[in-house]
Amino acid sequence: MDAQGRGRADNIDPADQWVLNPDTGEYELRLSSSAPQSAVPGPRRPSAGRGGGRASERHPAAPGRQQAREAAPAETVPAPRRRRSAPPDEPPPGRRGRRPEKKKTKTKKVLMWTGGTMALVLIGVGTAGYLVLRHLEGNVTTTDVGSAGKNGFSKDEAFNILIIGTDKRTGKGNEGYGDKGSIGHADTNVLLHVSKDRTNATALSIPRDMIVDVPDCPTKQPDGSTKVIPGTDHERFNTSLGQFGRDPGCTMRTVKEVTGIQPDHFMMADFNAVKTLTTAVGGVDVCLEHAVKDKASHLDLPAGESTVEGEDALAFVRTRHAWGNKGDLDRIKVQQQFLSSLMRKMASGDTLTDPTKLYDLADAATKALTVDTGIGKVSTLKDVALELKKVPTKNITFLTVPVLDNPAEKVRATVIVNKSTAPEIFDAINNDVSFTAVKKKQKADKSAAAARLKGTQSEASEVRVRVFNGGAAQGSAGETVTWLQTSVGVLKSENAANAPTDIPKTTLEYAPDQAPQARKLAALMGLSGAALKPGKSFTNSQGMPTMTLTLGKDFKGAGVPLTAPTKAPDVEDKSTADKIQCAS
């Protein structure tokens, strides 16, 4: 390419050279035949005029794609002009009469670029560069959490991702943050629930200083063996990671123990993630009700609106002495406001339009990211990103686990779960109930579940059921059998002890000919249609066919109805990602 031709190519907007492939959901680089390049945006290289080689030499095309690019129309090279006396050019074969393709507007392209990044900051670390993640898979660190998480990701189900920010000092410039010598505790924790129909999501912040019981935790060792780390009672939540060698799977298990909500996957990042991503998007807009000059974090901002990135952004989300009562709960509110602003910035039409910049972002960000093996593949991370972008920011709700001051302390330092208000929130999330007003589409599976409750019911004396404890409080199976036999006349019931695995929700499995029995038991116990699972019959201790009732984490006690909530409770201090708020 001569200097003149090179100049024309250099003037092309990089965003105009990427085209969305609707079949794959990914962007592909479409260049003119005169400048074949790699479909992978890489770090900036010197131009030919500065000692660099030809474009084709610097970025060799991927095998199998070179011919397709050479056959593409040379959009940036003007065609030779026709002499006045020459006859009109014939249209190319196969394109006669075809209307010219309408070029997408720049704003539309930008929105397509940013669509996959509309999520929390740490989610953004894993998804902002999903267009090039397949070339950066070696950057992502994975941890095998065993049965604490799922083996894969489903596009057709609700899912829960536990986002963890550690307080471990890693990387240059992070000496002023976190606890000196920390082994990496769970300092910032957000449980992100994404609804099955993708109309809404809930981000539940979990205070690091909340007192919990950390359960026993099987952890994978470097030699491939499994070591069970004994659980401890009455500990800060943040010790569920790092302490005694606990891995993120231990934090996931602790979340389930406290809330009854099963995290499917985790994403963990360090301080560098905040600095890298905020710099890449050109800063995040924040608002302060009063000026802040914090000696501990070095945050120095005036009252009103400011834009922070890099070190300032990290200082903003890390400081706690500048907010409210200088505690972690007020810092959580500020972090939620920051994340909301970041999502709005990601959704705007002026970010992440430079392929080289996007590549550099993905390269740096994925180096700071650790995920479970269930989503460790690049293709899976891309699927997560595409599902996340479906959720409108106005329907992403930020909440914090309701807590009370720890009554065991004279000096307030820790908190405990508020058992009068927290269970309602946990139940709503577990039952995929939105905290924002969304128009739910009537699903076929919901209609089918409701239909299971319709029809004839057997007499209580004809109901035959064995009862397992699948995650309910200890002794629940025996308590339920006693209640069934003495209070409602289900005499053919027996205690089958503990189920092989714990489950979040109570289920009743039955064979087709046992449907009348199932409907009767559902009516007696207040079971929803979703709890009824048509399946097969089992045999009880007397060799008779029987249904199987497994009491899950949602079990509230014998005789207490288990109908799933249809409306979320009113929660104080909740916020949504589309609203601008000022830190105070």
Side-chain angles (χ1 to χ4, degrees), residues 317-331:
V317 298
R318 288 295 306 162
T319 187
R320 59 190 175 97
H321 299 287
W323 320 123
N325 61 8
K326 301 182 180 181
D328 189 52
L329 294 179
D330 286 304
R331 177 167 62 175

mmCIF file with all atom_site columns, all heavy atoms in Angstrom, residues 317-331:
data_model
loop_
_atom_site.group_PDB
_atom_site.id
_atom_site.type_symbol
_atom_site.label_atom_id
_atom_site.label_alt_id
_atom_site.label_comp_id
_atom_site.label_asym_id
_atom_site.label_entity_id
_atom_site.label_seq_id
_atom_site.pdbx_PDB_ins_code
_atom_site.Cartn_x
_atom_site.Cartn_y
_atom_site.Cartn_z
_atom_site.occupancy
_atom_site.B_iso_or_equiv
_atom_site.pdbx_formal_charge
_atom_site.auth_seq_id
_atom_site.auth_comp_id
_atom_site.auth_asym_id
_atom_site.auth_atom_id
_atom_site.pdbx_PDB_model_num
ATOM 1   N N   . VAL A 1 317 ? -14.866 4.040  46.042 1.00 0.00 ? 317 VAL A N   1
ATOM 2   C CA  . VAL A 1 317 ? -15.611 2.851  46.478 1.00 0.00 ? 317 VAL A CA  1
ATOM 3   C C   . VAL A 1 317 ? -15.002 2.217  47.729 1.00 0.00 ? 317 VAL A C   1
ATOM 4   O O   . VAL A 1 317 ? -15.658 1.418  48.391 1.00 0.00 ? 317 VAL A O   1
ATOM 5   C CB  . VAL A 1 317 ? -15.692 1.792  45.355 1.00 0.00 ? 317 VAL A CB  1
ATOM 6   C CG1 . VAL A 1 317 ? -16.436 2.344  44.163 1.00 0.00 ? 317 VAL A CG1 1
ATOM 7   C CG2 . VAL A 1 317 ? -14.315 1.293  44.946 1.00 0.00 ? 317 VAL A CG2 1
ATOM 8   N N   . ARG A 1 318 ? -13.750 2.583  48.059 1.00 0.00 ? 318 ARG A N   1
ATOM 9   C CA  . ARG A 1 318 ? -13.107 1.967  49.213 1.00 0.00 ? 318 ARG A CA  1
ATOM 10  C C   . ARG A 1 318 ? -13.277 2.779  50.500 1.00 0.00 ? 318 ARG A C   1
ATOM 11  O O   . ARG A 1 318 ? -13.285 2.222  51.579 1.00 0.00 ? 318 ARG A O   1
ATOM 12  C CB  . ARG A 1 318 ? -11.607 1.794  48.935 1.00 0.00 ? 318 ARG A CB  1
ATOM 13  C CG  . ARG A 1 318 ? -11.289 0.700  47.936 1.00 0.00 ? 318 ARG A CG  1
ATOM 14  C CD  . ARG A 1 318 ? -11.659 -0.658 48.455 1.00 0.00 ? 318 ARG A CD  1
ATOM 15  N NE  . ARG A 1 318 ? -11.049 -0.923 49.743 1.00 0.00 ? 318 ARG A NE  1
ATOM 16  C CZ  . ARG A 1 318 ? -11.457 -1.878 50.588 1.00 0.00 ? 318 ARG A CZ  1
ATOM 17  N NH1 . ARG A 1 318 ? -12.493 -2.626 50.269 1.00 0.00 ? 318 ARG A NH1 1
ATOM 18  N NH2 . ARG A 1 318 ? -10.852 -2.071 51.740 1.00 0.00 ? 318 ARG A NH2 1
ATOM 19  N N   . THR A 1 319 ? -13.404 4.114  50.381 1.00 0.00 ? 319 THR A N   1
ATOM 20  C CA  . THR A 1 319 ? -13.468 4.933  51.594 1.00 0.00 ? 319 THR A CA  1
ATOM 21  C C   . THR A 1 319 ? -14.749 4.678  52.374 1.00 0.00 ? 319 THR A C   1
ATOM 22  O O   . THR A 1 319 ? -15.800 4.410  51.785 1.00 0.00 ? 319 THR A O   1
ATOM 23  C CB  . THR A 1 319 ? -13.363 6.429  51.250 1.00 0.00 ? 319 THR A CB  1
ATOM 24  O OG1 . THR A 1 319 ? -13.277 7.162  52.465 1.00 0.00 ? 319 THR A OG1 1
ATOM 25  C CG2 . THR A 1 319 ? -14.564 6.902  50.461 1.00 0.00 ? 319 THR A CG2 1
ATOM 26  N N   . ARG A 1 320 ? -14.661 4.737  53.678 1.00 0.00 ? 320 ARG A N   1
ATOM 27  C CA  . ARG A 1 320 ? -15.867 4.635  54.512 1.00 0.00 ? 320 ARG A CA  1
ATOM 28  C C   . ARG A 1 320 ? -15.927 5.737  55.566 1.00 0.00 ? 320 ARG A C   1
ATOM 29  O O   . ARG A 1 320 ? -16.972 5.965  56.156 1.00 0.00 ? 320 ARG A O   1
ATOM 30  C CB  . ARG A 1 320 ? -15.958 3.265  55.185 1.00 0.00 ? 320 ARG A CB  1
ATOM 31  C CG  . ARG A 1 320 ? -14.814 2.882  56.091 1.00 0.00 ? 320 ARG A CG  1
ATOM 32  C CD  . ARG A 1 320 ? -14.917 1.412  56.489 1.00 0.00 ? 320 ARG A CD  1
ATOM 33  N NE  . ARG A 1 320 ? -13.773 0.951  57.266 1.00 0.00 ? 320 ARG A NE  1
ATOM 34  C CZ  . ARG A 1 320 ? -13.755 0.872  58.598 1.00 0.00 ? 320 ARG A CZ  1
ATOM 35  N NH1 . ARG A 1 320 ? -14.819 1.243  59.279 1.00 0.00 ? 320 ARG A NH1 1
ATOM 36  N NH2 . ARG A 1 320 ? -12.696 0.438  59.229 1.00 0.00 ? 320 ARG A NH2 1
ATOM 37  N N   . HIS A 1 321 ? -14.807 6.409  55.782 1.00 0.00 ? 321 HIS A N   1
ATOM 38  C CA  . HIS A 1 321 ? -14.785 7.469  56.804 1.00 0.00 ? 321 HIS A CA  1
ATOM 39  C C   . HIS A 1 321 ? -15.527 8.719  56.357 1.00 0.00 ? 321 HIS A C   1
ATOM 40  O O   . HIS A 1 321 ? -15.842 9.579  57.173 1.00 0.00 ? 321 HIS A O   1
ATOM 41  C CB  . HIS A 1 321 ? -13.334 7.821  57.146 1.00 0.00 ? 321 HIS A CB  1
ATOM 42  C CG  . HIS A 1 321 ? -12.551 6.670  57.710 1.00 0.00 ? 321 HIS A CG  1
ATOM 43  N ND1 . HIS A 1 321 ? -12.755 6.203  58.989 1.00 0.00 ? 321 HIS A ND1 1
ATOM 44  C CD2 . HIS A 1 321 ? -11.597 5.884  57.161 1.00 0.00 ? 321 HIS A CD2 1
ATOM 45  C CE1 . HIS A 1 321 ? -11.939 5.177  59.217 1.00 0.00 ? 321 HIS A CE1 1
ATOM 46  N NE2 . HIS A 1 321 ? -11.238 4.960  58.121 1.00 0.00 ? 321 HIS A NE2 1
ATOM 47  N N   . ALA A 1 322 ? -15.809 8.826  55.059 1.00 0.00 ? 322 ALA A N   1
ATOM 48  C CA  . ALA A 1 322 ? -16.450 10.034 54.535 1.00 0.00 ? 322 ALA A CA  1
ATOM 49  C C   . ALA A 1 322 ? -17.963 9.953  54.504 1.00 0.00 ? 322 ALA A C   1
ATOM 50  O O   . ALA A 1 322 ? -18.629 10.946 54.228 1.00 0.00 ? 322 ALA A O   1
ATOM 51  C CB  . ALA A 1 322 ? -15.921 10.313 53.116 1.00 0.00 ? 322 ALA A CB  1
ATOM 52  N N   . TRP A 1 323 ? -18.525 8.786  54.791 1.00 0.00 ? 323 TRP A N   1
ATOM 53  C CA  . TRP A 1 323 ? -19.969 8.610  54.620 1.00 0.00 ? 323 TRP A CA  1
ATOM 54  C C   . TRP A 1 323 ? -20.671 8.333  55.943 1.00 0.00 ? 323 TRP A C   1
ATOM 55  O O   . TRP A 1 323 ? -20.214 7.502  56.749 1.00 0.00 ? 323 TRP A O   1
ATOM 56  C CB  . TRP A 1 323 ? -20.260 7.439  53.673 1.00 0.00 ? 323 TRP A CB  1
ATOM 57  C CG  . TRP A 1 323 ? -19.363 7.338  52.494 1.00 0.00 ? 323 TRP A CG  1
ATOM 58  C CD1 . TRP A 1 323 ? -18.599 6.276  52.127 1.00 0.00 ? 323 TRP A CD1 1
ATOM 59  C CD2 . TRP A 1 323 ? -19.144 8.335  51.476 1.00 0.00 ? 323 TRP A CD2 1
ATOM 60  N NE1 . TRP A 1 323 ? -17.918 6.536  50.977 1.00 0.00 ? 323 TRP A NE1 1
ATOM 61  C CE2 . TRP A 1 323 ? -18.224 7.790  50.549 1.00 0.00 ? 323 TRP A CE2 1
ATOM 62  C CE3 . TRP A 1 323 ? -19.615 9.627  51.265 1.00 0.00 ? 323 TRP A CE3 1
ATOM 63  C CZ2 . TRP A 1 323 ? -17.785 8.491  49.434 1.00 0.00 ? 323 TRP A CZ2 1
ATOM 64  C CZ3 . TRP A 1 323 ? -19.167 10.329 50.155 1.00 0.00 ? 323 TRP A CZ3 1
ATOM 65  C CH2 . TRP A 1 323 ? -18.278 9.766  49.250 1.00 0.00 ? 323 TRP A CH2 1
ATOM 66  N N   . GLY A 1 324 ? -21.792 8.968  56.167 1.00 0.00 ? 324 GLY A N   1
ATOM 67  C CA  . GLY A 1 324 ? -22.697 8.653  57.276 1.00 0.00 ? 324 GLY A CA  1
ATOM 68  C C   . GLY A 1 324 ? -22.000 8.445  58.598 1.00 0.00 ? 324 GLY A C   1
ATOM 69  O O   . GLY A 1 324 ? -21.288 9.311  59.108 1.00 0.00 ? 324 GLY A O   1
ATOM 70  N N   . ASN A 1 325 ? -22.188 7.229  59.151 1.00 0.00 ? 325 ASN A N   1
ATOM 71  C CA  . ASN A 1 325 ? -21.585 6.932  60.450 1.00 0.00 ? 325 ASN A CA  1
ATOM 72  C C   . ASN A 1 325 ? -20.196 6.299  60.318 1.00 0.00 ? 325 ASN A C   1
ATOM 73  O O   . ASN A 1 325 ? -19.695 5.690  61.261 1.00 0.00 ? 325 ASN A O   1
ATOM 74  C CB  . ASN A 1 325 ? -22.501 6.000  61.260 1.00 0.00 ? 325 ASN A CB  1
ATOM 75  C CG  . ASN A 1 325 ? -22.725 4.663  60.562 1.00 0.00 ? 325 ASN A CG  1
ATOM 76  O OD1 . ASN A 1 325 ? -22.091 4.362  59.554 1.00 0.00 ? 325 ASN A OD1 1
ATOM 77  N ND2 . ASN A 1 325 ? -23.622 3.856  61.094 1.00 0.00 ? 325 ASN A ND2 1
ATOM 78  N N   . LYS A 1 326 ? -19.610 6.439  59.142 1.00 0.00 ? 326 LYS A N   1
ATOM 79  C CA  . LYS A 1 326 ? -18.246 5.960  58.873 1.00 0.00 ? 326 LYS A CA  1
ATOM 80  C C   . LYS A 1 326 ? -18.141 4.442  58.972 1.00 0.00 ? 326 LYS A C   1
ATOM 81  O O   . LYS A 1 326 ? -17.065 3.901  59.243 1.00 0.00 ? 326 LYS A O   1
ATOM 82  C CB  . LYS A 1 326 ? -17.237 6.613  59.832 1.00 0.00 ? 326 LYS A CB  1
ATOM 83  C CG  . LYS A 1 326 ? -17.217 8.128  59.744 1.00 0.00 ? 326 LYS A CG  1
ATOM 84  C CD  . LYS A 1 326 ? -16.176 8.731  60.676 1.00 0.00 ? 326 LYS A CD  1
ATOM 85  C CE  . LYS A 1 326 ? -16.174 10.256 60.554 1.00 0.00 ? 326 LYS A CE  1
ATOM 86  N NZ  . LYS A 1 326 ? -15.150 10.879 61.423 1.00 0.00 ? 326 LYS A NZ  1
ATOM 87  N N   . GLY A 1 327 ? -19.245 3.747  58.725 1.00 0.00 ? 327 GLY A N   1
ATOM 88  C CA  . GLY A 1 327 ? -19.244 2.294  58.805 1.00 0.00 ? 327 GLY A CA  1
ATOM 89  C C   . GLY A 1 327 ? -19.394 1.640  57.446 1.00 0.00 ? 327 GLY A C   1
ATOM 90  O O   . GLY A 1 327 ? -19.568 2.305  56.418 1.00 0.00 ? 327 GLY A O   1
ATOM 91  N N   . ASP A 1 328 ? -19.362 0.304  57.460 1.00 0.00 ? 328 ASP A N   1
ATOM 92  C CA  . ASP A 1 328 ? -19.412 -0.449 56.209 1.00 0.00 ? 328 ASP A CA  1
ATOM 93  C C   . ASP A 1 328 ? -20.784 -0.361 55.554 1.00 0.00 ? 328 ASP A C   1
ATOM 94  O O   . ASP A 1 328 ? -20.893 -0.412 54.325 1.00 0.00 ? 328 ASP A O   1
ATOM 95  C CB  . ASP A 1 328 ? -19.052 -1.914 56.485 1.00 0.00 ? 328 ASP A CB  1
ATOM 96  C CG  . ASP A 1 328 ? -18.861 -2.708 55.215 1.00 0.00 ? 328 ASP A CG  1
ATOM 97  O OD1 . ASP A 1 328 ? -18.083 -2.251 54.350 1.00 0.00 ? 328 ASP A OD1 1
ATOM 98  O OD2 . ASP A 1 328 ? -19.496 -3.762 55.056 1.00 0.00 ? 328 ASP A OD2 1
ATOM 99  N N   . LEU A 1 329 ? -21.856 -0.212 56.337 1.00 0.00 ? 329 LEU A N   1
ATOM 100 C CA  . LEU A 1 329 ? -23.194 -0.166 55.751 1.00 0.00 ? 329 LEU A CA  1
ATOM 101 C C   . LEU A 1 329 ? -23.377 1.075  54.886 1.00 0.00 ? 329 LEU A C   1
ATOM 102 O O   . LEU A 1 329 ? -24.012 1.007  53.827 1.00 0.00 ? 329 LEU A O   1
ATOM 103 C CB  . LEU A 1 329 ? -24.253 -0.203 56.858 1.00 0.00 ? 329 LEU A CB  1
ATOM 104 C CG  . LEU A 1 329 ? -24.318 -1.500 57.678 1.00 0.00 ? 329 LEU A CG  1
ATOM 105 C CD1 . LEU A 1 329 ? -25.388 -1.393 58.741 1.00 0.00 ? 329 LEU A CD1 1
ATOM 106 C CD2 . LEU A 1 329 ? -24.580 -2.694 56.777 1.00 0.00 ? 329 LEU A CD2 1
ATOM 107 N N   . ASP A 1 330 ? -22.844 2.209  55.321 1.00 0.00 ? 330 ASP A N   1
ATOM 108 C CA  . ASP A 1 330 ? -22.935 3.413  54.503 1.00 0.00 ? 330 ASP A CA  1
ATOM 109 C C   . ASP A 1 330 ? -22.038 3.304  53.271 1.00 0.00 ? 330 ASP A C   1
ATOM 110 O O   . ASP A 1 330 ? -22.374 3.824  52.211 1.00 0.00 ? 330 ASP A O   1
ATOM 111 C CB  . ASP A 1 330 ? -22.553 4.646  55.319 1.00 0.00 ? 330 ASP A CB  1
ATOM 112 C CG  . ASP A 1 330 ? -23.651 5.037  56.298 1.00 0.00 ? 330 ASP A CG  1
ATOM 113 O OD1 . ASP A 1 330 ? -24.793 5.254  55.852 1.00 0.00 ? 330 ASP A OD1 1
ATOM 114 O OD2 . ASP A 1 330 ? -23.383 5.099  57.508 1.00 0.00 ? 330 ASP A OD2 1
ATOM 115 N N   . ARG A 1 331 ? -20.909 2.651  53.407 1.00 0.00 ? 331 ARG A N   1
ATOM 116 C CA  . ARG A 1 331 ? -20.046 2.451  52.245 1.00 0.00 ? 331 ARG A CA  1
ATOM 117 C C   . ARG A 1 331 ? -20.746 1.569  51.212 1.00 0.00 ? 331 ARG A C   1
ATOM 118 O O   . ARG A 1 331 ? -20.600 1.781  50.002 1.00 0.00 ? 331 ARG A O   1
ATOM 119 C CB  . ARG A 1 331 ? -18.716 1.819  52.651 1.00 0.00 ? 331 ARG A CB  1
ATOM 120 C CG  . ARG A 1 331 ? -17.814 1.523  51.458 1.00 0.00 ? 331 ARG A CG  1
ATOM 121 C CD  . ARG A 1 331 ? -16.400 1.195  51.869 1.00 0.00 ? 331 ARG A CD  1
ATOM 122 N NE  . ARG A 1 331 ? -16.305 0.004  52.684 1.00 0.00 ? 331 ARG A NE  1
ATOM 123 C CZ  . ARG A 1 331 ? -15.136 -0.524 53.073 1.00 0.00 ? 331 ARG A CZ  1
ATOM 124 N NH1 . ARG A 1 331 ? -14.002 0.068  52.738 1.00 0.00 ? 331 ARG A NH1 1
ATOM 125 N NH2 . ARG A 1 331 ? -15.106 -1.608 53.817 1.00 0.00 ? 331 ARG A NH2 1
#
